[in-house]
């Protein structure tokens, strides 16, 4: 079977066996990638009618209790200016995003115990009271079932938690021993059980990652059937143990975006900032490879300067209006529609 045949099988059946998927990723040529992008794009256009959804990304804290080996805001990084947004800062960022036409707010941050469940629920209720037609997403890491349930009942609609790898062995290579693969999977299952629109995902080209790991990630995603999937290239940060590792590539990331689209035709699939960082036109190529979500950063400028999960992150110098306008412009230039609504999974 040729790679073109493998791609067509994915496109037509949303399914391909492990061996064929491994061969596709291992032997994919530039022509094959272009063909996969074309098939994924046609599927996305048919399902979403050339709509691209914008999400307002608000990075609420760069404190984190964890020491993930790849992350620039890891607890042991002393060469970073730490910050926490106040409730007023968060609400102002939501207000600014709303005025610019965004109807989903994504609150992202490290695992920071300063933000108690009660504090976060109060923030949620205030946002929901003032922006009743908007969706709210959390991406705040691993929590207990009880905490997740409180967030959901307060009004959080979606939760993003990248699984990072579906391999227990690979997980231990990326994280210190006090972090638990089983707990990460427990969290994802809790989120779905509670009723969140749930997102998972992984880094492309992370240290020690094999083709088998990538295939296992894709098969996990297919089986887990999330509403959202976040895939971006690994980019090293100078103040982490992985500083000397080679970044992941845009080419492989784009292929995997296309594969995810064909495995899950209705999934909400971002073209990530990391993809735009490793390639000048990375986010544009992401849209043309099956992605249909962009997350412009609407955090205060001091937060954007200091929320550096990896080096050379794009958009850190843009103000909020520039960030949204730049994204909207390139989406329209590609022939797509920037949609002003919540953009729920359906």
């Amino acid at each position: 079977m040729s790679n073109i045949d493998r791609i067509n099988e994915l496109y037509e059946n949303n399914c391909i066996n492990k061996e064929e998927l491994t061969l596709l990723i291992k032997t994919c040529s530039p022509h094959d990638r272009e063909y996969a992008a074309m098939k994924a794009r046609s599927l996305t256009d048919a399902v979403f009618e050339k709509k691209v959804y914008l999400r307002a990304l608000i990075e609420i804290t760069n404190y984190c209790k964890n020491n993930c080996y790849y992350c620039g805001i890891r607890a042991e990084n002393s060469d970073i200016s730490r910050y926490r947004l106040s409730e007023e800062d968060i609400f102002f960022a939501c207000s600014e995003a709303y005025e610019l036409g965004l109807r989903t707010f994504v609150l992202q941050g490290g695992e920071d115990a300063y933000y108690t469940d009660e504090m976060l629920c109060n923030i949620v209720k205030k946002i929901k009271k003032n922006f009743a037609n908007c969706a709210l997403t959390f991406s705040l890491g691993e929590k207990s079932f009880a905490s997740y349930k409180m967030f959901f009942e307060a009004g959080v609609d979606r939760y993003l938690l990248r699984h990072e790898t579906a391999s227990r062995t690979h997980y231990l290579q990326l994280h210190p021993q006090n972090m638990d693969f089983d707990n990460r999977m427990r969290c994802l299952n809790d989120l779905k059980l509670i009723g969140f629109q749930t997102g998972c995902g992984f880094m492309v080209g992370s240290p020690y990652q094999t083709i088998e790991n990538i295939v296992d990630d894709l098969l996990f995603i297919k089986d887990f059937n999330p509403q959202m999937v976040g895939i971006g290239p690994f980019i090293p940060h100078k103040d982490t143990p992985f500083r000397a590792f080679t970044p992941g590539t845009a080419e492989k990331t784009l292929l995997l975006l296309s594969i995810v689209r064909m495995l899950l035709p209705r999934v909400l699939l971002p073209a990530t900032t990391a993809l735009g960082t490793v390639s000048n036109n990375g986010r544009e190529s992401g849209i043309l490879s099956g992605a249909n979500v962009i997350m412009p950063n609407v955090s205060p400028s001091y937060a954007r300067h200091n929320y550096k999960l990896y080096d050379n992150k794009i958009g850190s110098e843009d103000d909020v209006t520039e960030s949204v306008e730049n994204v909207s412009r390139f989406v329209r230039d590609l022939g797509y529609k920037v949609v002003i609504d919540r953009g729920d999974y359906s």
Side-chain angles (χ1 to χ4, degrees), residues 104-107 135-139 156-160 228:
T104 289
F105 312 131
V106 181
L107 273 55
L136 184 59
T137 302
F138 270 11
S139 182
V156 178
D157 303 280
R158 308 171 185 147
Y159 205 104
L160 304 173
M228 302 166 284

Side-chain angles (χ1 to χ4, degrees), residues 52-67:
V52 172
Y53 302 103
L54 303 191
R55 318 297 204 200
L57 180 61
I58 305 168
E59 297 158 335
I60 70 170
T61 177
N62 70 350
Y63 283 86
C64 189
K65 70 177 185 180
N66 295 326
N67 269 306

Side-chain angles (χ1 to χ4, degrees), residues 293-305:
V293 173
I294 302 280
M295 295 188 187
N297 197 326
V298 302
S299 307
S301 59
Y302 68 87
R304 274 179 280 129
H305 284 294

Side-chain angles (χ1 to χ4, degrees), residues 112-123 138 143 147 150-151:
D112 183 359
Y114 169 83
Y115 293 95
T116 64
D117 292 349
E118 292 75 16
M119 185 186 301
L120 289 169
C121 287
N122 287 336
I123 292 169
F138 270 11
K143 305 284 184 181
S147 295
M150 282 182 66
F151 301 156

